[in-house]
């Protein structure tokens, strides 16, 4: 079982499910049946497009979820204030009750008449008793209203948390569906590529719909979403002397781009590099893209900056999915330059 290098997780856990439902892949399970499939490259590219749409939706949902989480936090703070307010009301009721007891406010009216020393004293006692009753009624009313607000806001907070949990569950299902289909298609694509390398015969270019992008620079990196691995000149057991290029760790099926405008001078499917494409650029430089799973160009084609020329894989002398990229002064092995400063001098920073 080959190891599979995944992209970093694409999203935060809280997103808007309604927004991501539009990102569901349209590929059916039967698209990944047994046997060779000449359209498998197209299916992988479509799943990558689905994942890209999902990524955008996830980010939109994450921002919406951040706002909703802030609202939940506001509700929690409100609940804390309301609980403190209710405690104050309860303390006020206790204070009034203690004052009534001290002032004989709780005595029956008949007892107050008997104990009163004069009519004036009786009237003063009744006035105090009336004011205390009003205070008690007001305090009880405030407490009840506060408790009603607390109950309502607790319900709002609980509903908000439940909505977030539903969104999380729905997103997990959508993301898992995309990842499972994409991984299965990737390895089927790699299986077809291995068969081509074993036979020493490429199965021909698969024309993929190019993304609607307009590059403002003459040069770009050969892949997106990569991690740099083996660099130029490093030692290793997989090559005879020193590493002749720069490796980009990416999953199988990742679109591989022409770093600059040029012409395809070689498409081959055998040897240590597995499936490879070599481009010729103005100025006498050549770039090589190796260990591919599929090619999307034919020898002699003209290519534009950023145009997809293949899909990454792990064919040939490879320990795992990655793109081996070289810059050369001839089309042949043995004339390579360090790609990192070469691209850097053309405005492409690899990090």
């Amino acid at each position: 079982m080959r190891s599979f290098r995944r992209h970093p997780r694409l999203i935060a856990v809280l997103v808007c499910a309604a927004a991501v439902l539009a990102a569901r892949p349209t590929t059916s399970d039967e698209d990944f049946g047994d046997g060779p499939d000449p359209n498998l490259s197209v299916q992988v590219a479509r799943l990558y497009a689905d994942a890209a749409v999902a990524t955008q939706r996830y980010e939109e949902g994450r921002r919406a979820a951040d706002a909703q989480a802030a609202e939940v936090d506001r509700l929690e703070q409100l609940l804390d204030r309301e609980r403190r307010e209710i405690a104050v009301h309860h303390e006020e009721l206790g204070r009034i009750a203690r004052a009534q007891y001290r002032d004989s406010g709780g005595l029956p009216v008949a007892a107050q008449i008997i104990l009163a020393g004069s009519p004036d004293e009786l009237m003063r006692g009744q006035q105090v008793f009336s004011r205390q009753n009003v205070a008690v009624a007001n305090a009880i009313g405030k407490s009840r209203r506060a408790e009603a607000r607390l109950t309502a806001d607790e319900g709002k907070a609980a509903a908000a948390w439940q909505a977030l949990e539903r969104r999380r569950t729905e997103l997990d299902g959508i993301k898992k569906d995309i990842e499972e289909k994409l991984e299965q298609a990737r390895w089927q694509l790699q299986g077809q590529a291995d068969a081509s390398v074993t036979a020493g015969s490429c199965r021909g270019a698969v024309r993929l719909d190019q993304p609607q992008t307009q590059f403002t620079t003459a040069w770009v990196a050969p892949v997106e979403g990569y991690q740099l691995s083996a660099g130029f000149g490093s030692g290793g057991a997989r090559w005879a002397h020193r590493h002749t290029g720069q490796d980009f760790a990416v999953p199988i099926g990742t679109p591989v781009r022409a770093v600059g405008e040029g012409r395809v001078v070689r498409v081959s499917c055998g040897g240590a590099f597995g499936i490879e494409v070599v481009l010729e650029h103005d100025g006498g430089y050549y770039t090589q893209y190796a260990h591919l799973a599929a090619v999307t160009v034919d020898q002699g084609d003209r290519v534009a900056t950023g145009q997809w020329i293949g899909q990454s894989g792990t064919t040939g002398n490879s320990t795992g999915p990655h793109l081996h990229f070289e810059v050369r002064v001839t089309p042949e092995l043995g004339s390579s330059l360090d790609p990192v400063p070469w691209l850097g001098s053309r405005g492409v920073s690899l990090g």
Side-chain angles (χ1 to χ4, degrees):
M1 182 71 177
R2 290 184 177 91
S3 63
F4 176 68
R5 184 186 296 272
R6 295 179 180 271
H7 279 299
R9 292 184 63 85
L10 298 176
I11 59 171
V13 294
L14 300 177
V15 298
C16 182
V20 299
L21 287 174
R24 284 188 181 274
T26 57
T27 308
S28 64
D29 292 338
E30 61 190 23
D31 288 334
F32 305 108
D34 296 333
D37 184 349
N39 296 318
L40 193 54
S41 292
V42 177
Q43 293 167 9
V44 171
R46 189 169 74 242
L47 284 168
Y48 265 105
D50 287 337
V53 171
T55 300
Q56 180 180 356
R57 300 299 189 188
Y58 295 161
E59 285 303 305
E60 294 172 358
R62 182 187 59 78
R63 290 190 291 270
D66 287 345
Q68 187 166 1
E71 173 63 14
V72 171
D73 184 63
R74 186 192 68 80
L75 287 173
E76 290 291 349
Q77 293 178 8
L78 177 62
L79 292 177
D80 287 340
R81 289 197 301 271
E82 290 173 346
R83 292 184 184 107
R84 290 194 297 269
E85 180 183 351
I86 289 173
V88 170
H89 291 324
H90 288 174
E91 176 61 27
E92 178 66 11
L93 282 171
R95 186 190 65 77
I96 293 172
R98 290 190 296 272
Q100 279 186 321
Y101 180 79
R102 288 193 302 270
D103 296 338
S104 300
L107 290 177
V109 174
Q112 292 184 40
I113 293 174
I114 295 172
L115 296 174
S118 67
D120 290 340
E121 183 180 349
L122 176 61
M123 290 299 299
R124 286 194 299 271
Q126 285 296 303
Q127 290 171 355
V128 171
F129 179 67
S130 178
R131 288 195 299 270
Q132 289 175 341
N133 278 344
V134 171
V136 169
N138 288 339
I140 291 175
K142 289 181 181 179
S143 179
R144 287 176 176 173
R145 288 191 296 271
E147 289 173 353
R149 288 195 302 270
L150 176 62
T151 300
D153 289 337
E154 284 177 336
K156 290 179 183 178
W161 279 118
Q162 290 171 0
L164 289 175
E165 288 299 323
R166 286 194 300 271
R167 289 175 178 178
R168 179 185 302 171
T169 300
E170 291 173 0
L171 172 63
D172 286 344
I174 294 169
K175 183 174 182 294
K176 183 179 180 181
D177 182 58
I178 292 174
E179 288 182 343
E180 287 179 351
K181 282 191 167 80
L182 184 54
E183 183 171 1
Q184 186 177 2
R186 281 167 174 162
W187 284 110
Q188 290 197 17
L189 180 65
Q190 181 61 40
Q192 290 187 3
D194 290 338
S196 296
V197 171
T198 299
S201 174
C202 294
R203 60 186 178 94
V206 178
R207 303 299 179 176
L208 300 178
D209 291 335
Q210 298 291 314
Q212 297 298 318
T213 56
Q214 292 184 343
F215 294 100
T216 58
T217 59
W219 301 92
V220 296
V223 287
E224 295 181 287
Y226 59 84
Q227 290 183 343
L228 295 178
S229 50
F232 180 80
S234 59
R238 303 296 293 182
W239 42 86
H241 300 292
R242 291 291 178 179
H243 195 228
T244 54
Q246 174 63 57
D247 286 351
F248 295 78
V250 287
I252 294 168
T254 300
V256 174
R257 311 183 297 190
V259 295
E261 183 181 357
R263 182 175 64 90
V264 181
V265 297
R266 178 184 300 157
V267 176
S268 63
C269 298
F273 288 120
I275 299 176
E276 64 169 329
V277 172
V278 177
L279 304 181
E280 179 183 14
H281 306 280
D282 291 342
Y285 292 103
Y286 298 81
T287 53
Q288 180 214 29
Y289 311 77
H291 305 310
L292 302 177
V295 295
T296 63
V297 291
D298 287 315
Q299 191 165 313
D301 286 354
R302 296 292 306 181
V303 296
T305 299
Q307 179 179 331
W308 288 355
I309 60 173
Q311 291 167 291
S312 64
T314 182
T315 55
N317 189 9
S318 172
T319 58
H322 73 283
L323 170 70
H324 175 84
F325 175 73
E326 287 192 16
V327 176
R328 300 172 176 173
V329 295
T330 75
E332 308 303 328
L333 177 65
S335 62
S336 58
L337 308 171
D338 189 341
V340 175
W342 188 85
L343 283 172
S345 68
R346 288 157 177 76
V348 180
S349 177
L350 302 178

